[in-house]
């Protein structure tokens, strides 16, 4: 006879801790589906030691992310030494890059599995790995939205980027598999799909001989229950016209695009191996804004790259002022082992200057964001509700992605349902948040 005791329940509970990007979130959710089907109870909390087994899905992309991963590993090593957990496994990007070093430096971890062998931890913990579950997920996001990873790896080889070293070359996931996964997500209650990859625009070229992101987007729009589709991480070089057409023409596709540009000075773009010029970048932005009226463009910039002069940076500042991006983030350059820039270019911009330049860009962006937000006061937006914080319901418009963009803080004298859509009227603005109230039409609907 098997007795259900607290000790035995703990042995059958696994805490899956996910660090880094949304692509890691998808990987963890696929692993969790395998574990759940094999009888494990699941937790997803970086501070929780109630589980007997902990799996840490790490990030190894840039210095700060690597430091966070190491700190998290060490905190659970201490928990293991104190007898709070039994087994500790580390998977993902950090262990792909540094498995040998980690095994030497942190031997308390039971095993390391790289980003290209994520099923390895399942094979250790479960009697069988079940391929038929590969489109199943256990969501760790709120149940009304989910990320859909459409490919793995990258072929671009930007000079600063370690992703091809970690994740390997670009590999598209077959379209029929993605549609099945999206249909299952919709059946579980997901209303917003956030399409992700290292470069979403390159989707399909390895499987079908041409880029087929637009075809995939049209297919996703046909899925009942999905109301918003959002596109992230679109590489600017060779941006497909049919994707612009799809964003413009499909009502379900949010008028939003995450397109990391990194810089605008031609010599910096060349040194970064971005395969695009200032002229072509500006032409693309102009085309996006002309053909998709009202589009919100999110971009990220990289400052302090080797050789970045004050002239280069001034050019970048002017670019930000002129283009008035709706959403913008800045990273400072850090040398990553094995990349072209780390091996061939001197890291000749001081950390103080890197940080100063990042602050200068964000000061410009703060003013732009505030002005753009103020211009929206009085207008109505359709929003999805992510939850409630204090006296405000927290919502997002089609122009705002979860976790990285701003929120709409909504006062309402009627209860609002998390994961539901409402029309709101914007009443106030800050740099990175908007305030709103329920539109009169919504109140009439509720009063009936």
């Amino acid at each position: 006879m098997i007795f259900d005791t607290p000790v035995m329940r703990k042995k059958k509970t696994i805490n899956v801790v996910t660090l880094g990007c949304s692509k890691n979130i998808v990987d963890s959710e696929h692993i969790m589906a395998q574990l759940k089907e094999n009888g494990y109870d699941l937790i997803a909390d970086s501070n929780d030691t109630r589980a007997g087994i902990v799996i840490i899905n790490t990030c190894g992309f840039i210095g700060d992310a690597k430091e966070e991963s190491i700190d998290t590993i060490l905190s659970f090593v201490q928990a293991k030494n104190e007898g709070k957990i039994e087994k500790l496994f580390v998977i993902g990007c950090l262990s792909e890059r540094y498995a040998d070093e980690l095994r030497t430096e942190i031997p308390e971890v039971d095993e390391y599995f790289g980003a290209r062998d994520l099923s390895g931890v399942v094979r250790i913990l479960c009697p069988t790995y079940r391929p038929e579950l590969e489109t199943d997920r256990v969501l760790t996001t709120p149940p009304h939205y989910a990320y859909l990873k459409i490919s793995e790896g990258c072929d671009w080889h930007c000079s600063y980027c370690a992703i091809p070293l970690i994740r390997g070359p670009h590999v598209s996931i077959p379209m029929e598999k993605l549609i099945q996964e999206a249909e299952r997500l919709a059946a579980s209650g997901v209303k917003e799909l956030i399409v992700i990859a290292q470069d979403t625009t390159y989707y399909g070229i390895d499987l079908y001989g041409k880029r087929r992101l637009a075809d995939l987007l049209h297919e996703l729009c046909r899925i009942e229950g999905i109301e918003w589709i959002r596109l992230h991480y679109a590489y600017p070089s060779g941006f497909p016209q049919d994707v612009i057409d799809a964003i413009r023409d499909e009502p379900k596709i949010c008028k939003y695009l995450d397109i990391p540009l990194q810089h605008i000075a031609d010599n910096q773009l060349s040194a970064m191996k971005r395969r695009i010029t200032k002229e072509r970048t500006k032409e693309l932005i102009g085309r996006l804004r002309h053909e998709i009226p009202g589009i919100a463009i999110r971009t990220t910039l990289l400052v302090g790259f080797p050789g970045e002069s004050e002239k280069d940076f001034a050019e970048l500042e002017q670019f930000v002022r002129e283009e008035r991006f709706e959403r913008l983030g800045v990273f400072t350059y850090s040398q990553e082992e094995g990349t072209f820039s780390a091996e061939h270019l001197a890291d000749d911009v001081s950390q103080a200057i890197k940080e100063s330049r990042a602050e200068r860009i964000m000061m410009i962006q703060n003013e732009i964001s505030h002005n753009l937000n103020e211009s929206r006061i009085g207008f109505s937006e359709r929003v999805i509700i992510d939850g409630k914080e204090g006296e405000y319901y927290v919502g997002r418009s089609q122009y705002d992605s979860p976790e990285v963009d701003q929120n709409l803080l909504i006062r309402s004298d009627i209860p609002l349902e998390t994961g539901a859509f409402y029309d709101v009227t914007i009443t106030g603005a800050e740099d990175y948040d908007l305030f709103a109230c329920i539109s009169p039409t919504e109140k009439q609907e509720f009063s009936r």
Side-chain angles (χ1 to χ4, degrees), residues 293-314:
I295 188 173
I297 298 177
R298 156 170 277 281
T299 195
T300 50
L301 303 175
L302 178 62
V303 297
F305 186 79
E308 184 188 52
S309 65
E310 274 296 335
K311 181 177 181 296
D312 296 330
F313 181 70

Side-chain angles (χ1 to χ4, degrees), residues 10 38 78 84 141 145 168 179 191 195 249 254 261 286 291-292 333 351 355 369 389 403 411:
K10 185 164 185 172
N38 278 274
Q78 182 178 344
K84 295 178 181 178
T141 58
Y145 71 81
I179 298 304
K191 298 178 180 178
V195 177
D249 297 339
C254 295
L261 297 173
E291 298 195 32
I292 311 171
Y333 171 75
Q351 188 61 32
E355 292 173 2
S369 181
E389 295 179 5
E403 302 298 328
R411 288 184 183 273

